[in-house]
Amino acid sequence: MNAIKRLAQVNPPLLALLLAIILFFAGGLINPNFVNTNQAVNIVRLAAFLGIIAAGQTLVIISGNEGIDLSVGGVVTLAAILVYRISGGDNALLLPALAIALGAGALIGAINGLGVIAIGIPPLVMTLGMAGVIQGTILVVTQGQLIGATPPIMASAISEPLLLGIPGVIIIWILLSLIMWLVLERTTYGKNLFAIGVNRTTARLSGVRVPLVVVATYALSGMLSAFGGFVLLGFTRTVFLNLGQPYLFPSIAAVVVGGTVLAGGKGSYFGTMSGALVLTLIQSLLTAAQLQEAFQLMVLGVILLALLSIYGRQRKLRQ
Amino acid sequence: MSVSLSAQHVVKRYGGVVALADGNLDVQSGEVVALLGANGSGKSTLSKIITGVVAPNEGQLRLDGHPVSFKSPSEARRHGIAAVYQELSLIPDMTVMENIWLTHEPISLGRVNRREMRQRTRALLELFAGTYGEALSPDAIVKSLPPDERQIVEIVKALSSEPRLIILDEATASLDSQQVTRLFELIADWKTRDMAVIFVSHRMEEIFRIADRATVLRNGYSVGTRPISETNGRELVELMIEGATQPDARERAPVPADAHVRLRVTNLSAGPLRDVSFSLRDGELLGLGGLQGQGQSELLLALFGAMPSTGTITLSGETVHFRHPRQAMKHEIAFVPGDRASEGLLLSRSILENLHLPSWHKYGIPLRMKQARASAQANAEELRLVAESLDAPVSSLSGGNAQKVVIGKWLLRDPKLLLLNDPTKGVDVGAKAEFYGLLTELRKSGAAILFYSSDDDELLGLCDRVLVFHDGQLSAELQGDQVNRTNLVAASMGSLHAQAD
């Protein structure tokens, strides 16, 4: 236990990754068929969807001041519907449709950011309200009639093996992780983002334009969620009104399990990726164990609490 | 009901720091005792001990002749002692009457009697009738009130417990002259009703208007008590500084009169700061003195674009009006804030990230980390920063080393005008000496420095010219031989109006 604690102190993302690997092999005890390459690829593939959707959430949570984005689910759904409808299944219209979806996501995020920093609405309230607005708008505009189609090239690029038998979505995820690392660790924006997450007064007195960074962060979160919706559409190949909502709370849980501090100023996308793997694995395991849904939820909750209490202990030690 | 309170040889230590070495104070029914002292003399510690906010390490408090020791402010209040502080202790989101009666609400039949509460609040506010606006009512939300009316609520709150002894700690600072006069009328009335008053103020003029006796603290020691009728301002100031040696002034060096004028400020007002004008030349170390909170911090914040201001600021002949620190930084201005932890540092982030926070944009996309690390390394060596590595969090550093990081991040930008807001607070002696050396080097390299310090010795030892602030205004500009302790303390009490030619 001490060793685990020490590991959690050094590196929560690594601890989460280790946990994922242990969980995977523990799956073999429940069901010997669980441990094989196909299953591993499948779990990483499922985790990739959650991981991509949680990318924006990571940025917003790092930005601090109770930063959180509850409009993630709505934006995922909206982006998928936009691509579905605008492209109408035509490969040629795929890129314009994607551009419009990403733009819509960024715009929604920017409005969230403005509401938070310019009007001073708490992020929880602002983004929750925005989620309602998005959901309502979708209903009003479509009247529940979701017409359109998924361009075949997109579905195959995302769902089918692209390179060495690895599904496209995993390759997309790896590319995204490189970009996220660059953004967070190797740009002025990333450095300023951590700074405003730790202490906005210090950041301002060091020349950081705090409102600009906040708006940019929420806009990025909206855009990344929209990208998540796009990728998810390539997997489901159809849209429904509740497409993104189930990913909202897992997206927050993945960020936190990955060691990103809810208070802001500390975290990594690598952590979020590990978190997404852990959450996906737990869910697959519980399904494999053929537990009732209610029990699955209970077990999931207990595991999350256990992990967070280890991290919490670490923060206390620090102070 | 008469009262007498006597503090005898009271000592308070915070860790190794002695805040109060030998505090003695006597006050009785029907008199007002003024408590005076320069920065760090121990006046607030002594008043906190009397009101039970902190417990003394040694010594004795005697109330009506019996030894007492208060474990909390509410216990002191039960003994009839109440205090009014300048740092407001009201809860902003609650109403006036809820604040006043907090923890001693009028109760009837097990419920808070709001009607009685309202009536009694009205009666208390009536004491100040005619000196405040219409907004001040029992049901007004405290945060909607201006500072002077909040201060009135604060005074009334102390009165609500019907104290026998009341401490007014800088309680007049935000009141206007009419309100002060009313307060003094009330104090005169309290005296006839056998109350005792301890009056802490930085306004010498008020002390002579209202006090019967004055007790002076110096460096944590009570050094004397004088009946007001037998003393004058000069004697009290001398008591406040007596015997203190003039610090070594070898660092002081006047700048040539033809040096380039870096900064000219005309009629600047910001927050409590009113109509301040001065100029600063390249290579000059200009001190800002006076008691704490007289507008010095606001002056620096306004110059750095971190606080709105009116008036004219001219940098090397160019009139500027900054709305964000970023604009000031583009004009090669640097600001070292007063509170390291909350304004100067990102505690949980690394030394490297703290040093480069104002400068990352110089390193392109993706950031050239090798180059950034090398310049941070050179900077750390120049400042003799003692740290495990540049990747260690700043929270792992000692006070002096943490302060080096705050200064280092600006040195990396090679500033031409430095604004220093009490930079050596909580810094050990060794690091202070290094810091003074650094200031001398910066002056030699031609930087202009505006230096606020709450430590008079620093100003006397380092600055050839000192602007002394009192109540948001420049009360004196001391230059050359005028920069001595007597003038500095007198000016900080508002009783010296020397203007250098």
Side-chain angles (χ1 to χ4, degrees), chain B residues 398-458:
Chain B
S398 68
N401 280 301
Q403 187 66 345
K404 286 179 184 176
V405 174
V406 181
I407 294 160
K409 73 175 174 186
W410 295 111
L411 295 189
L412 278 165
R413 296 177 59 88
D414 202 9
K416 297 286 180 282
L417 171 58
L418 263 95
L419 311 171
L420 309 175
N421 190 2
D422 214 356
T424 56
K425 199 165 52 186
V427 168
D428 63 88
V429 181
K432 271 186 190 175
E434 284 180 57
F435 177 71
Y436 301 150
L438 180 70
L439 287 185
T440 307
E441 271 172 51
L442 283 166
R443 290 183 56 179
K444 279 185 192 143
S445 72
I449 305 172
L450 205 52
F451 176 48
Y452 166 56
S453 175
S454 59
D455 180 350
D456 291 348
D457 285 342
E458 282 185 349

Side-chain angles (χ1 to χ4, degrees), chain A residues 182 185-188 191-192 194-196 198-199 201-211 264-267 318, chain B residues 301 304 306 324-326 329 335 341-349 353 357-358 360-361 365-367 369 409-410:
Chain A
L182 268 174
E185 300 295 334
R186 290 291 179 273
T187 63
T188 304
K191 297 295 184 188
N192 288 348
F194 282 110
I196 69 166
V198 178
N199 185 333
T201 307
T202 297
R204 187 172 116 86
L205 291 177
S206 300
V208 177
R209 279 174 292 196
V210 176
K266 182 173 185 292
R318 217 167 249 252
Chain B
L301 284 169
F304 196 54
H324 193 281
R326 201 180 173 80
M329 284 161 59
F335 173 65
S342 71
E343 298 174 338
L345 293 170
L346 307 169
L347 283 178
S348 59
R349 305 301 296 182
E353 286 192 16
L357 183 58
W360 281 118
H361 60 91
I365 295 173
L367 297 170
M369 291 304 281
K409 73 175 174 186
W410 295 111

Side-chain angles (χ1 to χ4, degrees), chain B residues 31-52:
Chain B
E31 73 168 349
V32 177
V33 173
L35 191 56
L36 286 87
N39 284 329
S41 58
K43 1 179 243 287
S44 35
T45 306
L46 183 54
S47 57
K48 279 179 185 163
I49 287 170
I50 294 172
T51 52

Side-chain angles (χ1 to χ4, degrees), chain A residues 159-239:
Chain A
S159 299
E160 284 160 26
L162 200 67
L163 209 77
L164 309 166
I166 302 171
V169 65
I170 297 181
I171 293 168
I172 292 174
W173 196 24
I174 292 168
L175 287 176
L176 179 68
S177 75
L178 290 176
I179 294 170
M180 287 292 289
W181 178 82
L182 268 174
V183 167
L184 281 173
E185 300 295 334
R186 290 291 179 273
T187 63
T188 304
Y189 163 75
K191 297 295 184 188
N192 288 348
L193 177 64
F194 282 110
I196 69 166
V198 178
N199 185 333
R200 292 193 175 183
T201 307
T202 297
R204 187 172 116 86
L205 291 177
S206 300
V208 177
R209 279 174 292 196
V210 176
L212 196 70
V213 178
V214 170
V215 173
T217 301
Y218 279 89
L220 270 177
S221 174
M223 197 170 86
L224 285 163
S225 302
F227 185 67
F230 168 78
V231 175
L232 198 56
L233 176 64
F235 175 62
T236 59
R237 298 174 203 223
T238 180
V239 290

Side-chain angles (χ1 to χ4, degrees), chain B residues 154-383:
Chain B
E154 190 91 24
I155 294 168
V156 163
K157 179 182 171 183
L159 289 177
S160 71
S161 63
E162 294 172 6
R164 298 184 293 153
L165 167 64
I166 190 162
I167 299 181
L168 300 168
D169 188 350
E170 306 280 5
T172 55
S174 44
L175 298 182
D176 65 30
S177 61
Q178 198 193 354
Q179 291 161 337
V180 171
T181 303
R182 178 61 56 88
L183 176 63
F184 285 1
E185 286 165 15
L186 290 173
I187 292 176
D189 177 50
W190 299 342
K191 281 165 69 174
T192 66
R193 292 197 275 142
D194 274 351
M195 275 169 69
V197 179
I198 297 174
F199 187 74
V200 184
S201 173
H202 60 259
R203 294 175 177 165
M204 194 66 92
E205 172 259 334
E206 290 182 352
I207 288 168
F208 279 91
R209 258 171 81 190
I210 195 68
D212 300 300
R213 289 188 296 139
T215 291
V216 177
L217 282 173
R218 183 174 72 229
N219 294 332
Y221 293 86
S222 296
V223 290
T225 297
R226 297 282 184 279
I228 284 294
S229 54
E230 294 168 23
T231 187
N232 54 41
R234 176 164 291 275
E235 189 194 16
L236 291 179
V237 165
E238 259 155 29
L239 262 181
M240 285 163 73
I241 61 167
E242 201 173 51
T245 50
Q246 184 83 9
D248 186 1
R250 74 196 135 98
E251 305 289 357
R252 273 162 63 170
V255 282
D258 61 345
H260 174 70
V261 177
R262 172 65 51 180
L263 171 72
R264 195 181 290 283
V265 171
T266 318
N267 297 331
L268 189 77
S269 298
L273 196 70
R274 278 169 294 144
D275 277 338
V276 170
S277 304
F278 65 93
S279 63
L280 172 64
R281 293 178 185 278
D282 275 353
E284 186 176 12
L285 178 61
L286 177 56
L288 305 178
L291 293 170
Q292 290 178 46
Q294 306 300 309
Q296 301 98 330
S297 301
E298 286 80 5
L299 170 63
L300 298 175
L301 284 169
L303 290 175
F304 196 54
M307 183 177 181
S309 64
T310 59
T312 316
I313 300 168
T314 315
L315 278 171
S316 299
E318 180 196 353
T319 300
V320 293
H321 194 84
F322 301 138
R323 282 183 307 275
H324 193 281
R326 201 180 173 80
Q327 296 167 313
M329 284 161 59
K330 286 208 173 110
H331 283 79
E332 301 175 295
I333 301 179
F335 173 65
V336 174
D339 189 335
R340 271 195 301 284
S342 71
E343 298 174 338
L345 293 170
L346 307 169
L347 283 178
S348 59
R349 305 301 296 182
S350 69
I351 295 168
L352 180 74
E353 286 192 16
N354 272 279
L355 283 175
H356 279 310
L357 183 58
S359 319
W360 281 118
H361 60 91
K362 288 194 293 191
Y363 294 94
I365 295 173
L367 297 170
R368 295 183 297 274
M369 291 304 281
K370 246 186 216 163
Q371 197 186 333
R373 188 173 285 275
S375 68
Q377 190 67 47
N379 180 266
E381 277 164 23
E382 193 188 316
L383 289 168

Side-chain angles (χ1 to χ4, degrees), chain A residues 72-90:
Chain A
V72 162
V75 175
V76 165
T77 310
L78 177 73
I81 290 173
L82 282 173
V83 173
Y84 193 70
R85 192 149 191 179
I86 293 167
S87 74
D90 184 348

